Amino acid sequence: MKSDLKGKRFLIVDDNADELHRISEYISSLGGKWVIAQDYDAAAACCDKQAIDCMITDIHLDENILDGRVPQGIRLLSYVKSNHPEILSIAMSGDPRLDTFYKSAQQGAGSFITKPIKNPDAIMIAYQEGISKRIQTKLDKPINLPNFLKQIYERYPEGIVMPQEARRILQGMAKNAETPLVLTGETGTGKEQAAKLVHIFRTSAEGNVPFVAVNCATIERDLATSLLFGHKKGSFSGAADTTNGYVGEANGGILFLDEIHHLDMKCQQKLLRVLNDGTYERLGDTKTLTSKFQLITASTKSLEDAVNDGSFMVDLCMRIAGGIELFLQPLRERQHDIPALVGIFLASKNGLSLTEDEFRRLCKRLQSFEWKGNIRQLFKLLQTWIITAQCQGTQPSVDYLPFVPGLSSRDPNPVMVHDEPADPLVREAMSLLMDAMSKDVRLEDSIDNLEKRILQKAIERHRTIGDACAALKISRSSIDAKRKKHGI
């Protein structure tokens, strides 16, 4: 049994230190490796920055299960499902209600463990059950989709739309793991998705390999060396444990460095060394470590320009440029890909009951825009469109595409967009959505505010609270708690 988890890396998420200790010991006894997190933010960051095979999360992380809020664990399952589908998720809870189990399954949990976990076998059984379901799901996909969306899904089974020439290059890179890849293009053109596609191709051929993604623009300069190359316990204030760093975590797999031109000179020097001979040292340590990985870099700035202005090492630039460079076109130059992108997005939402005629009308409308924010902007608009329809209690329609400031149209006679609803609650909800999409707004506040407007409209539309519960598919106790919370 131990060999089944040998080398597998688990993320354990629980706000109880004793539970974290117990579960980590069980995973160690089964031959697995583990990291821990105690809340949503830490767990999401871990998934973004480390190669995780399986996440085991408590549903209720430091929350009252009856207070009406979406539990952090459910939100975390949803985040991993959307952003890291390669990670197997296992939910755990001491709440015996079936509703808890169903919610976790809907948000991507492959299996469920009832707490307290009393032995390692419970983890092994849940892991094997989750793997079995994942295999079966892959065999069964796509499901519950109209034929026009099935065709798109089958053409892009990884859920990533790339031009065929780019896909061929990425497949070639997966077969040449020693060769670096440079991705260039505007913000939002899908550079990280291209790197993930290389990882998918490699995983298909080699089995699970690490994929570590790092946005160099968000790393604080003082922490960059520690985060990238690890540190020795006690090497600085707050260094409570010895770490491998992103470079160590990427050993045998892929290290994706986004916005690499932001990397400071000290880190550039250490990176050049590890690329040349595979060796490096942790911060505060004299022991030489090794790591061999495929480097994929992305930048919105020319590295040659960075070399010329003195912010980037010429030797590192030459080392990176010795591989393959792939330029990803902006969306305004690949308008023909918009139907596929929209189709993949809708497939992830199970089609949204959209007819083929309405789909074509939607794509034609979206193809009329310039898309200065590229694919990222397109997906944000579609997500806002869906939530706006939910606020209005209707199915998504092209007539209700939200207005986006600065999104210019190429069409001299565009389809009219319903951007000023008469209902003040709907106008307020749309305003909240646009703020959430364009500004840094506290996520929980945005969700709470939108939830309040959706509840208000649902209660207005229906004769009784019971009818509103049935329409929203939530329990009476849940809606009562939410009404109390929002003062409805």
Side-chain angles (χ1 to χ4, degrees):
M1 186 177 288
K2 177 182 286 191
S3 61
D4 288 339
L5 295 188
K6 187 175 182 180
K8 299 297 181 185
R9 190 169 181 82
F10 285 74
L11 168 61
I12 313 165
V13 191
D14 201 305
D15 59 330
N16 185 304
D18 291 337
E19 287 289 338
L20 287 174
H21 178 70
R22 182 182 302 109
I23 296 170
S24 63
E25 284 194 333
Y26 288 160
I27 289 173
S28 294
S29 72
L30 293 167
K33 301 177 182 178
W34 50 266
V35 291
I36 61 174
Q38 292 187 288
D39 57 33
Y40 172 93
D41 291 335
C46 187
C47 291
D48 291 341
K49 297 174 181 178
Q50 299 191 38
I52 303 296
D53 296 299
C54 178
M55 176 182 73
I56 303 178
T57 182
D58 187 23
I59 296 299
H60 304 288
L61 300 170
D62 195 27
E63 295 191 33
N64 185 329
I65 64 173
L66 298 177
D67 68 359
R69 291 181 293 171
V70 177
Q72 281 194 28
I74 293 292
R75 288 172 48 211
L76 181 58
L77 289 170
S78 178
Y79 179 82
V80 170
K81 179 182 178 182
S82 299
N83 296 278
H84 299 282
E86 74 280 3
I87 297 176
L88 172 66
S89 293
I90 298 174
M92 58 181 177
S93 176
D95 180 4
R97 294 178 300 174
L98 283 175
D99 185 50
T100 305
F101 170 82
Y102 289 137
K103 284 181 179 177
S104 64
Q106 288 171 354
Q107 297 305 324
S111 54
F112 188 89
I113 308 176
T114 302
K115 295 175 69 176
I117 301 175
K118 297 180 179 179
N119 56 63
D121 290 347
I123 295 174
M124 175 58 78
I125 291 169
Y127 178 81
Q128 292 176 334
E129 178 185 354
I131 291 295
S132 297
K133 285 183 179 178
R134 171 168 287 190
I135 292 171
Q136 189 59 46
T137 299
K138 287 182 178 179
L139 293 174
D140 291 343
K141 283 184 177 180
I143 57 174
N144 299 325
L145 293 177
N147 286 332
F148 69 94
L149 288 183
K150 276 187 181 179
Q151 292 172 3
I152 295 173
Y153 190 94
E154 289 168 357
R155 186 178 178 189
Y156 301 99
E158 307 89 0
I160 299 174
V161 178
M162 284 282 162
Q164 288 304 310
E165 182 179 354
R167 288 177 70 87
R168 285 194 292 270
I169 292 173
L170 297 175
Q171 285 174 327
M173 295 305 302
K175 296 176 182 178
N176 295 273
E178 72 286 351
T179 304
L181 171 64
V182 179
L183 300 169
T184 60
E186 296 176 7
T187 297
T189 50
K191 294 186 288 293
E192 183 166 353
Q193 294 300 306
K196 287 181 177 179
L197 199 51
V198 176
H199 179 246
I200 290 171
F201 292 146
R202 283 192 57 182
T203 298
S204 177
E206 305 172 34
N208 195 26
V209 297
F211 178 83
V212 180
V214 184
N215 188 333
C216 299
T218 63
I219 298 179
E220 293 183 26
R221 184 175 295 270
D222 293 341
L223 298 175
T225 302
S226 169
L227 290 172
L228 279 169
F229 300 96
H231 59 257
K232 186 178 180 180
K233 180 179 179 180
S235 57
F236 57 88
S237 178
D241 297 294
T242 296
T243 64
N244 287 330
Y246 300 139
V247 165
E249 296 292 342
N251 187 30
I254 295 171
L255 178 63
F256 173 57
L257 296 180
D258 196 7
E259 302 292 1
I260 190 174
H261 60 277
H262 285 285
L263 207 58
D264 69 32
M265 196 62 68
K266 184 177 180 180
C267 285
Q268 290 181 36
Q269 292 169 348
K270 291 175 71 72
L271 179 61
L272 178 61
R273 176 187 168 189
V274 75
L275 289 175
N276 284 335
D277 63 15
T279 64
Y280 69 102
E281 285 90 29
R282 297 186 184 100
L283 182 65
D285 197 358
T286 58
K287 181 180 178 182
T288 298
L289 304 175
T290 60
S291 181
K292 296 285 188 178
F293 51 83
Q294 183 174 21
L295 180 67
I296 301 180
T297 61
S299 178
T300 53
K301 178 179 180 179
S302 164
L303 293 186
E304 289 185 6
D305 289 344
V307 168
N308 291 335
D309 65 27
S311 63
F312 205 81
M313 291 177 59
V314 63
D315 289 350
L316 180 57
C317 181
M318 295 295 291
R319 182 68 171 76
I320 294 172
I324 301 295
E325 181 173 337
L326 175 62
F327 171 70
L328 297 180
Q329 290 181 315
L331 188 55
R332 60 184 174 275
E333 295 179 11
R334 44 183 290 213
Q335 296 277 337
H336 57 279
D337 281 336
I338 284 181
L341 289 163
V342 175
I344 290 296
F345 181 89
L346 293 178
S348 71
K349 307 296 181 183
N350 206 28
L352 294 175
S353 302
L354 214 64
T355 65
E356 187 169 3
D357 286 343
E358 188 75 359
F359 172 77
R360 293 182 186 280
R361 186 167 169 247
L362 172 65
C363 292
K364 183 178 180 181
R365 173 61 178 154
L366 295 173
Q367 286 175 314
S368 72
F369 292 127
E370 288 287 350
W371 299 114
K372 294 179 181 178
N374 296 299
I375 299 171
R376 185 178 296 127
Q377 186 182 25
L378 170 65
F379 284 172
K380 282 187 176 181
L381 176 65
L382 290 172
Q383 186 64 49
T384 303
W385 172 60
I386 291 170
I387 299 175
T388 301
Q390 291 173 344
C391 291
Q392 296 170 327
T394 65
Q395 283 291 328
S397 163
V398 180
D399 296 326
Y400 287 88
L401 275 174
F403 171 74
V404 179
L407 186 59
S408 58
S409 176
R410 299 149 59 106
D411 188 347
N413 299 300
V415 177
M416 293 301 293
V417 179
H418 189 79
D419 59 355
E420 190 62 30
D423 192 307
L425 281 177
V426 175
R427 287 203 305 271
E428 188 178 357
M430 291 179 68
S431 176
L432 289 167
L433 276 169
M434 295 313 303
D435 283 346
M437 293 296 178
S438 60
K439 303 175 183 177
D440 291 329
V441 182
R442 189 168 178 264
L443 180 61
E444 193 166 334
D445 291 341
S446 297
I447 293 171
D448 284 346
N449 289 330
L450 286 172
E451 182 180 72
K452 179 178 180 179
R453 275 69 183 177
I454 292 170
L455 286 172
Q456 287 174 315
K457 289 302 298 178
I459 291 170
E460 283 183 12
R461 287 195 305 272
H462 297 281
R463 186 172 56 86
T464 67
I465 297 297
D467 291 341
C469 290
L472 296 174
K473 295 181 174 59
I474 59 176
S475 67
R476 179 57 187 256
S477 62
S478 180
I479 199 171
D480 286 345
K482 292 177 187 295
R483 291 175 65 201
K484 181 178 180 181
K485 172 186 175 183
H486 297 305
I488 300 175

